[in-house]
Amino acid sequence: SRRPDVLCLSHLRWDFVFQRPQHLMARWAKEHRVFFVEEPLAEPEGSGLRRSTHGVSVYAPHVSPGTPPEQAVRLQREGLDTLLAEHQVDDYVLWYYSPMALTYSRHLTPSVTVYDCMDELSCFKGAPPEIGILERELLSRAHVVFTGGEPTLLGPRLNMLLEHAKQTARVSWCRIVTNAAQLDAHIGS
């Protein structure tokens, strides 16, 4: 039987910097089909799927400049649904790097949901105000949560959210990891 696919929803571009998402997805791609979905590009041309040198299928949805936010979310959801249908993705791990991706993916039904919280995105300059609400929703959906940094250095809000998730949600376990090598030790290669 085929191994489950990995569908990764990321706020980072695949080709920007090779860091934790790229390390992990490249490793998963050795034995699984991996689809890495980037945030939309503000370009009028159609969305594209390309293959990375690491065997990862990278999908970049395109949304015309000036598209209203609600329509952009609808276009992202439709593009994602088309991607999954065209590639017959039906048994998959849904791997989130940003809670904002819930706006176009909450209707999906993965086998397992992972939230890999590398950064406290709500603290970034220009962070959307709804990110905190979406993060709580994502924590309530996640089966597994990874986060970076030492527990004493994590923001108090993130510590509180993770503690809440472990006690009340579906999170089966939570680990603090500082790099992809540590994460590999927890999930296998």
Side-chain angles (χ1 to χ4, degrees), residues 64-103:
S64 294
T67 301
E70 302 80 25
Q71 185 179 355
V73 167
R74 183 180 53 77
L75 292 169
Q76 286 178 270
R77 184 174 47 247
E78 289 170 359
L80 185 58
D81 290 346
T82 299
L83 175 74
L84 298 179
E86 286 178 358
H87 294 276
Q88 300 175 347
V89 177
D90 49 18
D91 179 21
Y92 58 97
V93 173
L94 183 54
W95 196 292
Y96 285 89
Y97 278 101
S98 171
M100 294 306 294
L102 271 174
T103 60

Side-chain angles (χ1 to χ4, degrees), residues 5-10 12-15 18-38 48-60 83 87 95 97:
D5 297 317
V6 178
L7 177 63
C8 178
L9 309 178
S10 180
L12 302 170
R13 299 269 175 235
W14 180 263
D15 293 324
F18 204 83
Q19 54 188 331
R20 186 153 104 192
Q22 291 83 353
H23 283 276
L24 292 173
M25 295 306 126
R27 299 233 15 185
W28 282 108
K30 291 178 182 177
E31 297 186 20
H32 301 262
R33 290 192 312 169
V34 175
F35 298 89
F36 187 91
V37 178
E38 300 178 335
L49 181 68
R50 62 184 172 78
R51 190 92 162 163
S52 80
T53 57
H54 298 91
V56 173
S57 297
V58 180
Y59 174 71
L83 175 74
H87 294 276
W95 196 292
Y97 278 101

Side-chain angles (χ1 to χ4, degrees), residues 144-161:
V144 179
V145 175
F146 297 108
T147 187
E150 296 300 319
T152 55
L153 301 176
L154 291 173
R157 188 179 136 283
L158 182 57
N159 274 327
M160 180 207 50
L161 289 171

Side-chain angles (χ1 to χ4, degrees), residues 113 115 134-145 160-174:
T113 300
Y115 178 28
L134 291 169
E135 185 170 58
R136 283 189 290 280
E137 180 182 344
L138 181 52
L139 285 166
S140 75
R141 293 168 171 259
H143 298 92
V144 179
V145 175
M160 180 207 50
L161 289 171
L162 290 172
E163 209 40 53
H164 172 74
K166 287 193 287 188
Q167 293 173 7
T168 64
R170 297 171 53 179
V171 174
S172 54
W173 57 278
C174 176

